[in-house]
Amino acid sequence: MASLAAAGALFGATAAEAGPALDKISERGKMAVCSKVDYRPFGYRDTDGTPIGLEHDLISDVQLRLEKKLGKEIEVERIPVIAANRIQFLEGGKCDLLIATMTDKPERRQTVAIVEPNYYSSGVNVMALKSVKIEAWDDIKGQRLCSSQGAFWNKDLQRKYNLDLLTFAGIAETEQALRDGRCIGLLTDDSLATSRLKDDRWGDFELKVDTIMDASWGAAIQKGDEEFYALMSETIADWHRSGKITELENKWGIKPTPWAKRMHEQYKNM
Amino acid sequence: METIGQFFYRLNEDYGINFPVFYDAWEFWRFAEGIVTTLELSVICVVMSLVVGLVGSWLQGAAFAPIRWLVYAYIQFFRNTPPLAQLYFFYFGLGSIMPRVVNDMGVPQAILGNYEWAVISLTLFAGAFNIEIFRSGIEAVPTTTVEAARALGYSRLKSYIHVIFPLAIRICMPGLTNNLVNLLKTTAIAYAIGVSEVLYVANQIWAVEFNVPEMMNLVLITYLIIVSSFVRLTTVVSRRMRVPGFNW
């Protein structure tokens, strides 16, 4: 009898583990989220080591919604990830949810479920000295610009504007090259650049043109969990509806992205 | 040409073996420019490092001691530090404090660019070895021969030009070839400061196409061709310069 009960418990436990994320979270009273701590101001560590940033505020919002839905308090465990391991962490079940500056790409959708709609977006812009005469993208035609090796915009922009691209492996080298006048400007992720420009060191620099080639960022969960997917999808739609993303951009001192404004316009009457 | 392109296009479509430089004209010209840059860099650095070697080995025999110390210090510095570190030192270290000129876009621009620094850095690196190689050749010339030249009324410079050096170069040819081959291969480090030579261009391509193994093979084959052509050339030169019974 006892062994039967034990077997039942064992079976029950197995079934719960294999079940949807919401049951698992409810049972443990804890949600594990893969997040970044190396991408200021989206996810970084406060002076006392606590992870903070725009994405961490979003994660806290997910926590509130889950508590409401499940009718109990939920703890959030933030698991720091980097670009190279985040998908494997989610796929392997180390976390229930991934919000980590990840660009939504078809090949990633094959491995994990990327929640629609996307929650944020960044694109490419030109960072250069305030004194440099660049007012539109056409002004960089045939010029020498710096960029990072492997950036997804390199080839397209090089072809389109016939650029003489100077690229380096690390961010530090590209920045040094820009400061040394090796190039007239730096092709950079606009969200990264905006936060960098807050630093006094970059006081003489600014973003020159309208951001182009927007690539949007998606939250992701494990495949095949429709209930959790629907919850996340509704949550993100609600962020756009309520203007939360723009509000957080202001909070973290990020130049409001046209994309977030557009999403707000699109969702506010839905 | 069209069929070659089609072959490589199909190779990618059907088997996922991706050599865009053979079917995409833009990538082809980009890669071709990379090869030209590597060749240019190689020729300029080989010639200039030989000049450094010649002048340096001559100065090593100078009567004024501080000149000899200077040459010694130069050799020790460049021979005993990694060429990549030297390149970074020149480009980011010295380059940052060099005078600047404002260009027509209004940017205070460093006067020496990445290509110029690559030439300087590689020349000085290979030149340091060349001095030592030439010295080994010069020291191998029998003193009796040198004395005979001086006895015939040659000055130090004239005996160096007409007697010592022609014999020395024949002795040090194998060592010299080794060092220059090494120099050709080392031009690849210019990639670290963004000089668009073969490795750099290949890197630009695989960053987009994710075809690292294919591009790596192409890079290695390119270097094999360049280096083996150079070795052939030096073999011909050595043969032409052969003095029967003296060097081999």
Side-chain angles (χ1 to χ4, degrees):
Chain A
M1 198 60 195
S3 65
L4 201 69
L10 191 71
F11 181 74
T14 319
E17 246 171 26
L22 289 181
D23 290 351
K24 199 168 76 177
I25 293 167
S26 171
E27 203 171 286
R28 285 186 307 188
K30 194 163 93 174
M31 171 174 67
V33 185
C34 285
S35 64
K36 285 203 133 182
V37 290
D38 63 353
Y39 211 79
R40 190 187 181 113
F42 294 92
Y44 62 107
R45 287 190 193 278
D46 204 357
T47 41
D48 64 355
T50 343
I52 54 166
L54 184 144
E55 289 191 333
H56 288 281
D57 283 352
L58 293 178
I59 292 166
S60 301
D61 187 71
V62 175
Q63 179 186 10
L64 288 179
R65 285 164 194 265
L66 268 178
E67 286 177 344
K68 211 165 134 197
K69 186 174 171 79
L70 301 172
K72 60 189 279 196
E73 278 196 14
I74 298 289
E75 206 187 307
V76 173
E77 188 191 352
R78 292 163 205 259
I79 300 171
V81 290
I82 56 168
N85 65 16
R86 55 192 170 188
I87 290 179
Q88 287 84 337
F89 269 40
L90 175 64
E91 202 191 0
K94 281 200 169 62
C95 45
D96 305 303
L97 171 67
L98 178 141
I99 296 186
T101 70
M102 185 178 76
T103 304
D104 187 353
K105 287 272 177 67
E107 62 269 24
R108 290 177 176 155
R109 281 176 179 249
Q110 286 173 2
T111 319
V112 293
I114 296 185
V115 182
E116 280 185 62
N118 293 131
Y119 65 96
Y120 202 68
S121 163
S122 69
V124 54
N125 206 313
V126 179
M127 182 161 116
L129 277 174
K130 284 177 179 161
S131 57
V132 172
K133 289 158 258 160
I134 302 175
E135 275 143 24
W137 279 99
D138 279 342
D139 294 342
I140 63 168
K141 251 184 201 145
Q143 295 290 343
R144 164 157 277 210
L145 273 91
C146 292
S147 186
S148 295
Q149 277 170 15
F152 71 88
W153 54 73
N154 282 354
K155 186 181 171 183
D156 291 346
L157 293 183
Q158 193 174 7
R159 288 186 84 152
K160 186 164 179 196
Y161 296 111
N162 189 26
L163 299 178
D164 176 13
L165 265 196
L166 180 61
T167 69
F168 300 92
I171 299 262
E173 288 107 293
T174 55
E175 290 184 353
Q176 186 61 45
L178 177 65
R179 300 182 78 91
D180 288 347
R182 302 288 181 195
C183 46
I184 62 154
L186 175 67
L187 291 175
T188 170
D189 188 309
D190 62 336
S191 56
L192 192 65
T194 340
S195 60
R196 211 182 286 142
L197 287 173
K198 289 194 178 326
D199 198 325
D200 286 341
R201 247 165 61 86
W202 293 98
D204 299 334
F205 291 82
E206 63 182 2
L207 287 179
K208 292 301 213 182
V209 285
D210 289 333
T211 296
I212 55 166
M213 296 176 85
D214 265 322
S216 42
W217 301 3
I221 61 170
Q222 278 179 317
K223 283 202 142 185
D225 191 337
E226 278 165 32
E227 198 192 357
F228 193 30
Y229 187 93
L231 177 80
M232 280 313 299
S233 184
E234 173 49 32
T235 301
I236 294 171
D238 207 40
W239 290 343
H240 291 308
R241 192 176 298 130
S242 63
K244 187 174 181 67
I245 302 286
T246 318
E247 183 191 309
L248 287 179
E249 280 180 325
N250 290 331
K251 174 181 170 185
W252 294 101
I254 301 161
K255 188 176 156 198
T257 50
W259 187 87
K261 271 185 252 170
R262 209 163 55 235
M263 290 302 267
H264 176 54
E265 289 302 315
Q266 190 183 328
Y267 277 86
K268 71 180 176 192
N269 297 320
M270 279 166 77
Chain B
M1 200 62 207
E2 188 62 27
T3 47
I4 295 175
Q6 252 160 21
F7 170 76
F8 281 103
Y9 184 76
R10 292 246 57 99
L11 195 65
N12 183 30
E13 289 286 294
D14 299 343
Y15 301 100
I17 301 172
N18 189 8
F19 286 100
V21 294
F22 296 125
Y23 63 79
D24 179 333
W26 196 73
E27 302 288 26
F28 173 81
W29 286 114
R30 182 145 85 141
F31 196 71
E33 276 171 33
I35 295 178
V36 171
T37 307
T38 291
L39 289 174
E40 242 177 47
L41 207 55
S42 299
V43 171
I44 296 174
C45 292
V46 163
V47 171
M48 284 176 50
S49 74
L50 285 173
V51 173
V52 170
L54 282 176
V55 174
S57 62
W58 160 253
L59 291 177
Q60 264 184 337
F64 187 51
I67 291 184
R68 294 202 304 269
W69 299 336
L70 216 61
V71 177
Y72 178 78
Y74 157 66
I75 293 171
Q76 293 308 317
F77 180 79
F78 281 91
R79 205 179 53 174
N80 300 334
T81 53
L84 181 59
Q86 292 165 11
L87 192 64
Y88 270 131
F89 166 74
F90 278 121
Y91 187 65
F92 286 116
L94 275 185
S96 297
I97 53 171
M98 293 285 276
R100 304 199 190 179
V101 281
V102 176
N103 67 13
D104 52 359
M105 288 296 283
V107 178
Q109 195 180 24
I111 48 172
L112 290 177
N114 53 354
Y115 186 82
E116 289 84 0
W117 277 123
V119 167
I120 292 171
S121 173
L122 289 166
T123 297
L124 291 176
F125 171 67
F129 285 89
N130 282 353
I131 294 176
E132 289 296 78
I133 291 167
F134 283 138
R135 186 171 69 129
S136 74
I138 290 164
E139 283 176 0
V141 174
T143 37
T144 45
T145 311
V146 182
E147 280 163 5
R150 297 305 288 275
L152 286 171
Y154 280 109
S155 67
R156 192 172 100 79
L157 182 64
K158 293 275 183 192
S159 64
Y160 185 80
I161 294 172
H162 296 290
V163 180
I164 303 172
F165 188 72
L167 291 174
I169 186 81
R170 288 167 166 80
I171 296 164
C172 63
M173 220 32 211
L176 194 60
T177 304
N178 263 343
N179 186 39
L180 295 181
V181 161
N182 202 25
L183 170 61
L184 296 194
K185 293 184 294 183
T186 311
T187 57
I189 63 166
Y191 131 100
I193 57 166
V195 176
S196 55
E197 44 72 61
V198 171
L199 184 61
Y200 179 87
V201 173
N203 172 281
Q204 298 285 87
I205 295 174
W206 81 56
V208 177
E209 308 278 346
F210 302 108
N211 59 343
V212 183
E214 289 94 326
M215 292 313 296
M216 261 302 153
N217 278 309
L218 210 53
V219 167
L220 292 181
I221 290 170
T222 306
Y223 276 105
L224 271 179
I225 295 172
I226 293 176
V227 171
S228 56
S229 312
F230 178 76
V231 171
R232 255 214 91 67
L233 189 75
T234 58
T235 312
V236 171
V237 172
S238 295
R239 220 172 263 146
R240 285 279 172 85
M241 291 196 316
R242 193 169 82 93
V243 175
F246 176 67
N247 47 347
W248 36 275

